[in-house]
Amino acid sequence: RAARTDDVADTIDYGPLIALVGDVVERSSFRLLESIAGTIADRVLESTPADAVTVRVRKLAVPVDADLDWAQVEIRRERTRPA
């Protein structure tokens, strides 16, 4: 809606989202990028009025035997609606 109205009241404040991501990454231990992205997506849907969220997590210095600059995963989650 914010893209249509150009009104800050129709968007979600990025400040708390940044804090949420920091909390997830700093207070938890993950082995998989998918787990980090999924946890962040779930927390965003739990704590905001967003109908959907897309989370992209990128890791530099990937510990694999390949010439990669980074590895990345992207997860999209939508709020479930009662039937």
Side-chain angles (χ1 to χ4, degrees):
R1 189 164 113 176
R4 202 173 53 251
T5 65
D6 195 33
D7 186 344
V8 71
D10 291 331
T11 191
I12 296 172
D13 186 353
Y14 295 154
L17 291 179
I18 292 168
L20 180 151
V21 170
D23 184 60
V24 168
V25 173
E26 293 171 6
R27 294 179 185 258
S28 303
S29 178
F30 298 96
R31 291 186 306 219
L32 301 175
L33 297 178
E34 291 85 351
S35 295
I36 298 170
T39 300
I40 291 169
D42 291 343
R43 294 268 309 270
V44 168
L45 290 176
E46 290 167 4
S47 63
T48 72
D51 292 326
V53 61
T54 301
V55 177
R56 183 180 304 135
V57 177
R58 181 179 288 181
K59 180 178 182 173
L60 305 176
V62 184
V64 296
D65 188 23
D67 187 22
L68 299 175
D69 292 329
W70 46 266
Q72 174 178 292
V73 64
E74 182 176 293
I75 290 180
R76 177 174 171 80
R77 296 268 168 88
E78 295 183 13
R79 189 174 302 283
T80 56
R81 304 262 187 235

